[in-house]
Amino acid sequence: MGVHHRSSRYGRYTGGPDPLAPPVDLAEALDAIAEDVMAGYSPRHALQEFLRRGSRSRDGLDDLAGRVQQRRRELLGRHRLDGTLEEVRKLLDTAVLEERKQLARDAMMDETDRAFREMQLQNLPSSTAAAVNELASYDWQSSSAREAYERIKDLLGREVLDQRFAGMKQALENATDEDRAAVGAMLRDLNELLDKHRRGEDTDADFQEFMARHGQFFPENPQSVEELIDALAQRAAAAQRLLQSMSPEQREELMRLSAQAFGSPELMAQLDQLDASLRALRPGEDWTGAERFEGQEGLGLGDGTGVLQDLAELDGLAEQLAQSYNGSNLDDLDLDALARQLGQDAAVTARTLAEIERAIQDGGYLRRGVDGDLRLSPQAMRRLGKSLLRDTARQLSGRQGRRDTRTAGAAGEQTGSSREWQFGDAEPWDVTRTMTNAIRRTIADGGDPARGLRLGMGDIEVAETEARTQAAVALLVDVSFSMAAEGRWVPMKRTALALHHLVSTRFRGDRLQLITFGRYAQTMDIGELTALPAVREQGTNLHHGLLLANRFFRRHPSMQHILLVVTDGEPTAHLVADGHSWFSWPPDPETIRVTVAELDRLGRAGTQATFFRLGDDPGLERFVQRMARRIDGRVVAPDAGDLGAAVVGEYLRAHFRSLYDDGDWVS
């Protein structure tokens, strides 16, 4: 006898990598996480938000949770729970109709007997269960009527077993008395095993002996008595929730009908004992819940129990996807259950998100700072900086202008070696190696170099040089609250990170100092600036920022001094003699005076200055124009989205000022 069973085992996915799964894109994840970190989220919160939102090409946890809820609504909206009652009613109607036909055509029947039988059939109770019970002792004259009635008992027996053991309804169809006896023996042995387990008297040998005798009834192949109990209890609890989801009338009908299952009261006694044992062994299962079904597709007891199991599984997945419990992580996701309920693509998505979470947490992209908080690690900062610089390069490449070839190679002395071209390179091309690379690539792609070559960016190599000039660069960024309120907070941080990456990877001889100025100014490393939260505090103390810049430049007297100032407001604060910050709005004349005086000192030292004005405030525009004129500086007014390209472009222009005409450099 074959028993078909829908697997209901739970646990982590243990299969190998899915060959169809998209590759894990850590760069995209890190970009998104860093964006949220720069907006003020903690790295852990930023990671959770990315996993919830997903990416351009991949669903996130919220998308999967939405599909879980949609699947739940579909199940409740498609089904109703009177399928077994409906099947029984159809079989009963068939039996009664066939019996009436037989009574009508049996000419030899005693008329009194005929009238009595017709009266019995005519006066059957309206309740299906009561009618079935009343006909239990009826002496059927029609063999087809008797067969239909016996099928009611068989159906009920298979349904009540299917409630506890998925697949029994199909497996016992057309079963023999021997098959039914085997089920009875299994139930007796199962109840004995569970009873011993409740008393703590069972052994592993008892379980192994039980499985050897009755393993065909448990295709999920439990490996211990605990696994066996888990599977049975989940199913039995779902069966109880099914009954509680019915109307009182439906529930009463089914309870009365169950007495007719296989025509065997012993079967129901065994099942009642099984339910009691499972409830005692697994009290934590949901034995009292109920659902509201509103569909038109009738469900039998077994199928209905399966749907209740599905609903419970969906509820478990919803909790796992919410990740709202202490210590939650995506390794908790039951990928087998996701695949069952939503399809293999959902399991692939969840597994990929879990891999991203694991790679970021275990791959060194987050580290704990001295204050105990998680921060983006230097490795993550380098990766993000590279991505931001690449975006900046694309923006710069679209600007109008041309490269001045008359000065090519003048940036330094050639070392004799070459390397692949990178953004920011001003060195001359190594033509021989560039052409060789193009020829090799063309041949590898199946082309014929004799028919012509098309250079790619990856083909270009430049002659390495030793830079003749080095620069000390002070990037001053306004961190007053208006920067955050006007949507300039994240672009400011992205700009600082792009410039930091360019200096640290392509201009290692330069020195970069990041200085923030709000009510006070302070120097920061790139990690501190990236994690800096927006604080609602009044004050734009450019005076203090220029003081720190001047101090930084004095430490590097032999270098070219480059000052880059990003601000969206006039100076409204300055340092007084006791070190405190004096704030005034509108700007106090003393604030303007000391700020200008500090700028003049920078100008006398030969500092090249550029002011990046954000916003259209007329007062700010007048102020930065006057400041720039005092020291022969420049003013740039980019949109927030173009700030990175503007700052990097001005850094390169100032760095190569002696080599390129003003405004003529682009990448």
Side-chain angles (χ1 to χ4, degrees):
M1 176 183 61
V3 180
H4 304 288
H5 196 293
R6 185 185 69 87
S7 174
S8 58
R9 292 184 65 197
Y10 295 80
R12 289 186 186 175
Y13 175 79
T14 56
D18 191 317
L20 300 179
V24 173
D25 187 354
L26 281 185
E28 185 178 23
L30 284 170
D31 285 350
I33 291 168
E35 193 83 3
D36 283 345
V37 168
M38 290 189 286
Y41 289 100
S42 70
R44 186 178 300 281
H45 190 186
L47 172 59
Q48 291 171 342
E49 283 300 303
F50 172 78
L51 296 173
R52 294 181 68 84
R53 292 193 307 262
S55 63
R56 293 185 300 271
S57 58
R58 182 180 294 109
D59 285 348
L61 297 178
D62 285 348
D63 298 299
L64 293 177
R67 290 174 62 185
V68 164
Q69 293 305 318
Q70 178 61 29
R71 167 75 172 150
R72 200 180 198 286
R73 289 192 294 270
E74 287 175 358
L75 290 175
L76 292 173
R78 181 192 311 161
H79 299 298
R80 53 189 173 84
L81 300 181
D82 59 353
T84 296
L85 288 173
E86 191 174 87
E87 282 192 78
V88 170
R89 168 56 69 181
K90 289 180 179 178
L91 288 172
L92 179 64
D93 289 344
T94 298
V96 170
L97 178 60
E98 291 300 316
E99 181 70 3
R100 282 175 171 167
K101 289 179 180 179
Q102 178 63 28
L103 294 177
R105 63 174 172 258
D106 189 351
M108 304 299 294
M109 179 176 289
D110 179 77
E111 289 301 323
T112 302
D113 186 28
R114 189 197 315 274
F116 179 72
R117 291 176 181 276
E118 287 177 345
M119 184 179 64
Q120 278 186 288
L121 297 178
Q122 183 67 34
N123 295 321
L124 285 174
S126 59
S127 162
T128 301
V132 170
N133 287 332
E134 186 166 313
L135 291 172
S137 58
Y138 181 80
D139 180 20
W140 298 93
Q141 299 301 298
S142 165
S143 58
S144 57
R146 182 184 300 107
E147 180 183 350
Y149 183 79
E150 292 299 323
R151 284 169 57 196
I152 292 176
K153 297 181 180 180
D154 180 73
L155 170 67
L156 291 170
R158 290 186 290 120
E159 286 280 18
V160 296
L161 286 172
D162 204 40
Q163 278 191 290
R164 279 76 170 184
F165 308 93
M168 280 287 196
K169 181 178 180 181
Q170 292 77 24
L172 289 178
E173 193 169 9
N174 301 318
T176 64
D177 290 340
E178 183 179 357
D179 292 332
R180 286 189 282 270
V183 172
M186 181 273 291
L187 285 173
R188 287 190 294 273
D189 290 348
L190 177 59
N191 280 323
E192 182 179 342
L193 175 64
L194 296 185
D195 191 46
K196 289 180 69 174
H197 187 73
R198 288 176 64 182
R199 299 194 305 269
E201 298 173 0
D202 64 316
T203 64
D204 185 60
D206 292 330
F207 171 74
Q208 297 299 337
E209 181 181 352
F210 174 82
M211 291 301 295
R213 293 183 62 187
H214 306 295
Q216 72 271 21
F217 293 103
F218 306 95
E220 65 270 27
N221 193 27
Q223 297 300 302
S224 66
V225 69
E226 296 293 345
E227 287 189 14
L228 174 66
I229 292 170
D230 283 342
L232 291 172
Q234 289 162 9
R235 183 82 179 175
Q240 288 298 312
R241 295 195 300 276
L242 173 72
L243 291 175
Q244 283 144 200
S245 301
M246 295 178 175
S247 68
E249 295 77 15
Q250 290 175 328
R251 188 161 52 247
E252 182 181 358
E253 287 277 277
L254 282 171
M255 297 302 291
R256 293 175 66 186
L257 281 171
S258 296
Q260 296 292 331
F262 288 146
S264 171
E266 181 187 357
L267 173 67
M268 294 309 301
Q270 293 284 358
L271 291 175
D272 288 344
Q273 182 181 345
L274 174 62
D275 287 344
S277 294
L278 292 173
R279 197 159 188 161
L281 289 166
R282 292 294 185 270
E285 291 289 340
D286 182 4
W287 297 92
T288 59
E291 300 288 349
R292 183 179 179 86
F293 288 83
E294 299 176 333
Q296 297 300 315
E297 185 178 317
L299 287 173
L301 295 180
D303 290 339
T305 298
V307 169
L308 265 294
Q309 274 193 289
D310 284 337
L311 292 171
E313 190 167 73
L314 289 166
D315 289 342
L317 287 172
E319 182 179 5
Q320 294 165 20
L321 291 167
Q323 294 282 286
S324 58
Y325 47 94
N326 290 336
S328 61
N329 62 67
L330 295 191
D331 284 337
D332 298 338
L333 287 179
D334 186 339
L335 301 184
D336 289 337
L338 263 179
R340 278 196 298 272
Q341 298 298 338
L342 303 183
Q344 190 60 39
D345 66 306
V348 169
T349 295
R351 184 164 62 249
T352 303
L353 291 172
E355 289 171 0
I356 291 174
E357 179 186 53
R358 195 178 308 113
I360 289 178
Q361 290 181 337
D362 301 340
Y365 294 107
L366 300 178
R367 71 171 184 178
R368 202 164 294 280
V370 293
D371 56 0
D373 291 336
L374 282 175
R375 290 184 179 171
L376 295 175
S377 70
Q379 180 183 359
M381 301 292 280
R382 286 192 299 271
R383 191 159 182 168
L384 177 61
K386 183 177 181 180
S387 173
L388 293 176
L389 189 58
R390 187 169 56 245
D391 292 343
T392 299
R394 281 196 291 266
Q395 287 180 290
L396 278 172
S397 66
R399 290 186 171 188
Q400 190 174 14
R402 61 177 180 84
R403 186 166 180 167
D404 189 346
T405 58
R406 293 172 298 167
T407 57
E413 298 295 338
Q414 295 189 16
T415 65
S417 61
S418 66
R419 55 172 171 74
E420 184 179 347
W421 179 89
Q422 298 180 40
F423 171 66
D425 285 336
E427 293 85 352
W429 287 13
D430 186 319
V431 177
T432 300
R433 292 178 180 172
T434 296
M435 297 303 293
T436 300
N437 292 339
I439 292 170
R440 287 175 175 167
R441 180 180 52 77
T442 301
I443 294 174
D445 293 343
D448 183 358
R451 295 179 178 271
L453 294 174
R454 183 182 294 274
L455 288 180
M457 295 298 295
D459 299 329
I460 302 171
E461 292 199 25
V462 295
E464 283 198 326
T465 62
E466 295 176 350
R468 288 177 175 172
T469 60
Q470 294 179 323
V473 185
L475 175 63
L476 277 64
V477 290
D478 187 344
V479 293
S480 60
F481 189 74
S482 61
M483 289 283 287
E486 298 296 329
R488 299 159 186 154
W489 194 255
V490 173
M492 174 270 291
K493 292 183 176 183
R494 291 169 66 91
T495 296
L497 189 49
L499 181 61
H500 176 271
H501 186 76
L502 177 62
V503 172
S504 61
T505 59
R506 291 296 304 118
F507 296 93
R508 293 186 179 92
D510 287 0
R511 294 294 177 265
L512 173 65
Q513 181 70 73
L514 302 174
I515 300 172
T516 62
F517 61 98
R519 188 67 172 263
Y520 291 88
Q522 59 180 317
T523 61
M524 288 188 176
D525 64 34
I526 189 62
E528 291 173 318
L529 177 58
T530 302
L532 183 68
V535 178
R536 186 179 292 276
E537 184 179 60
Q538 292 179 314
T540 304
N541 198 335
L542 179 59
H543 170 240
H544 193 187
L546 294 174
L547 281 169
L548 295 180
N550 215 334
R551 184 183 306 167
F552 166 67
F553 290 142
R554 287 197 300 270
R555 293 201 303 269
H556 305 284
S558 63
M559 290 185 172
Q560 177 187 2
H561 295 172
I562 299 175
L563 176 69
L564 307 170
V565 180
V566 177
T567 185
D568 71 345
E570 297 176 77
T572 57
H574 68 277
L575 284 187
V576 295
D578 62 1
H580 287 89
S581 177
W582 172 267
F583 168 77
S584 174
W585 174 257
D588 190 286
E590 179 65 10
T591 298
I592 301 299
R593 187 190 69 78
V594 296
T595 302
V596 170
E598 194 60 36
L599 181 71
D600 286 344
R601 276 191 283 273
L602 290 168
R604 288 192 295 271
T607 302
Q608 297 182 47
T610 303
F611 294 87
F612 299 89
R613 174 177 58 82
L614 299 176
D616 299 319
D617 178 59
L620 173 62
E621 182 177 3
R622 289 190 299 269
F623 172 77
V624 296
Q625 289 290 353
R626 289 198 299 266
M627 293 280 278
R629 283 196 296 269
R630 291 184 72 91
I631 60 171
D632 193 25
R634 289 163 55 86
V635 175
V636 180
D639 293 332
D642 294 329
L643 179 61
V647 169
V648 168
E650 284 299 304
Y651 160 71
L652 292 170
R653 185 202 65 81
H655 199 290
F656 295 109
R657 188 173 182 179
S658 62
L659 304 176
Y660 296 100
D661 293 335
D662 190 16
D664 205 24
W665 190 96
V666 296
S667 68

